[in-house]
Amino acid sequence: MNSALRSLWDEPRPPDPPSRVWRDWALLGVLGAALVLEGLFRPDMPWRVLSVVVVAALLPTLLWRRSRPFPMFLASFGITAVVTLLTGGAAPSAYAMAGLLLLPYSLARWGSGRELVLGVGLVLPETALSVALGQKSVADAVGGLVVLFATVTLAAAVRYRARARLRELDQVKLLEREGLARDLHDTVAHHVSAMAIRAQAGLAMMPSQPEAAAEALQLIEAEAARALDEMRAMVRVLRRDEPADLAPNPRIADLGKLASRARPFVDVTVSGDLDDLPPSIGSAIYRLAQESVTNARRHARHVTRIEVRVTADDTSVRLRVSDDGEPGLVRPAASPGYGLAGMIERAGLLGGTCEAGPNPGRGWSVTAVLPRGGVAA
């Protein structure tokens, strides 16, 4: 129990809370308008003028409920408690007060663990004191606490789900980095191996060469062997003791394997000068196309055709995968899904971009643009 409380107390605030958006201002406007209408047309409201003034003063706290959840909750709770005390138990009773339930929700969703503990710790004694002084009945107090804890529980569930999704996205990005590291390793290892072979050939010809050349060749061989050892060690760590994948890296020339006459029909077209592309770029184009075709087959409804287009110019390579699926369908990639997150990660590591979205007419498209020369990961 102590460890659970300590873990809750040490829980940090979630990173990057959303900033104010137009919906916050719209919510504030709707609640404000409802409050004005209540003040004008609800004569049975206790302490009508005071209730309208107090609730109107509290509504702006909703604008900072994500960035400063604890101060906003504390201000709302403190002002309401003081007004209840001054009026002998008549708390502000405007219906617009229901919107202030977003404050305890935001405290549990965006606040730290200690802020949540302190917030709940303030509510419980205040509720007990109100019951003891006769300002609230037991039924009203229990009902209020039930609503409060239901709101906090909902926020905690949303917070947990968001954190789980972030972990899953981080895992997808890590796996994509591992895949790119393998591709880069195979590419670099090929060139370094060539250096080692040339150095050995130079050593074999050493009798006919000056001593300086022989010494330089020895240095080249030593550096090449050391680089190979370091690359193998890095990949072993990245693979986390998984068996090595000895299959050759796919290239743009392998895109023809994605073509299919079966439904949905997959049409692959490659144009432009692609002869001197770095292996990492060619492999990335193939992986992105493969993932896009798989997503179209898996998620598109009533799709009959998938087009894969690869074009190259002097500076970049462009991939576009589109289908003719049923319009209006929200794909999992639009969330964005984990597959799209991995594709964006791979393209970004190579200095490019990857985007996905619905076509103007029907269907879905994935577009990736990678620099022709590639960049260091």
Side-chain angles (χ1 to χ4, degrees):
M1 187 64 176
N2 289 336
S3 61
L5 291 176
R6 183 177 296 276
S7 176
L8 176 60
W9 181 262
D10 295 334
E11 174 77 14
R13 295 188 61 186
D16 303 324
S19 57
R20 290 193 297 272
V21 295
W22 67 267
R23 289 187 295 270
D24 293 333
W25 293 100
L27 174 64
L28 191 64
V30 170
L31 292 176
L35 179 62
V36 172
L37 292 176
E38 273 193 274
L40 293 175
F41 301 106
R42 190 184 163 199
D44 62 326
M45 181 191 299
W47 297 85
R48 179 166 53 169
V49 175
L50 180 60
S51 294
V52 170
V53 171
V54 170
V55 176
L58 292 178
L59 286 180
T61 60
L62 296 176
L63 298 176
W64 290 275
R65 66 184 186 275
R66 302 186 191 94
S67 58
R68 297 179 178 86
F70 184 66
M72 297 303 102
F73 174 81
L74 189 62
S76 174
F77 172 79
I79 292 175
T80 303
V82 170
V83 171
T84 303
L85 181 63
L86 294 178
T87 57
S93 58
Y95 296 141
M97 282 284 292
L100 296 179
L101 282 174
L102 289 173
L103 294 177
Y105 176 90
S106 298
L107 179 62
R109 175 64 180 91
W110 298 107
S112 66
R114 64 189 61 193
E115 289 175 337
L116 178 59
V117 171
L118 291 174
V120 175
L122 290 173
V123 171
L124 294 178
E126 189 274 339
T127 303
L129 181 61
S130 298
V131 173
L133 295 177
Q135 296 178 344
K136 289 183 181 179
S137 66
V138 175
D140 289 339
V142 171
L145 290 177
V146 168
V147 173
L148 175 65
F149 281 103
T151 303
V152 170
T153 302
L154 176 61
V158 174
R159 177 172 178 158
Y160 173 81
R161 182 66 189 95
R163 185 167 57 186
R165 178 175 173 79
L166 285 177
R167 286 198 300 265
E168 291 168 351
L169 287 173
D170 289 340
Q171 180 68 14
V172 169
K173 292 180 179 181
L174 176 60
L175 293 176
E176 200 65 31
R177 285 175 177 267
E178 290 180 7
L180 182 58
R182 295 189 189 105
D183 294 344
L184 291 173
H185 165 265
D186 295 338
T187 301
V188 174
H190 171 76
H191 294 297
V192 176
S193 297
M195 291 171 54
I197 293 174
R198 291 179 181 178
Q200 292 170 357
L203 288 174
M205 298 175 60
M206 186 171 56
S208 60
Q209 302 293 329
E211 294 182 358
E215 182 179 356
L217 289 174
Q218 289 175 347
L219 291 175
I220 291 174
E221 182 184 28
E223 289 297 328
R226 186 179 299 110
L228 281 173
D229 291 339
E230 291 174 354
M231 291 293 294
R232 292 192 183 106
M234 181 190 70
V235 172
R236 281 197 298 270
V237 172
L238 288 174
R239 283 172 176 156
R240 292 179 290 182
D241 298 327
E242 295 177 0
D245 182 6
L246 301 180
N249 290 334
R251 302 171 299 171
I252 289 183
D254 297 321
L255 285 172
K257 299 177 182 178
L258 300 178
S260 173
R261 294 290 175 180
R263 292 178 67 92
F265 174 71
V266 180
D267 180 35
V268 178
T269 302
V270 179
S271 61
D273 183 12
L274 301 169
D275 294 335
D276 58 345
L277 282 181
S280 59
I281 297 296
S283 177
I285 290 292
Y286 178 87
R287 299 294 189 194
L288 295 174
Q290 183 184 44
E291 179 71 17
S292 300
V293 171
T294 300
N295 285 341
R297 285 173 168 165
R298 182 179 303 165
H299 301 300
R301 293 181 55 189
H302 305 153
V303 61
T304 62
R305 182 182 180 86
I306 302 172
E307 294 183 352
V308 180
R309 300 287 182 264
V310 178
T311 58
D313 55 29
D314 294 338
T315 59
S316 62
V317 182
R318 180 183 179 88
L319 166 71
R320 186 175 188 272
V321 181
S322 60
D323 62 69
D324 61 350
E326 182 175 311
L329 176 66
V330 179
R331 309 279 179 88
S335 301
Y338 302 134
L340 180 58
M343 295 162 67
I344 293 174
E345 180 75 6
R346 176 176 283 259
L349 289 172
L350 291 171
T353 60
C354 181
E355 299 176 347
N359 294 327
R362 58 179 291 153
W364 191 269
S365 290
V366 175
T367 303
V369 180
L370 302 182
R372 187 180 183 90
V375 298

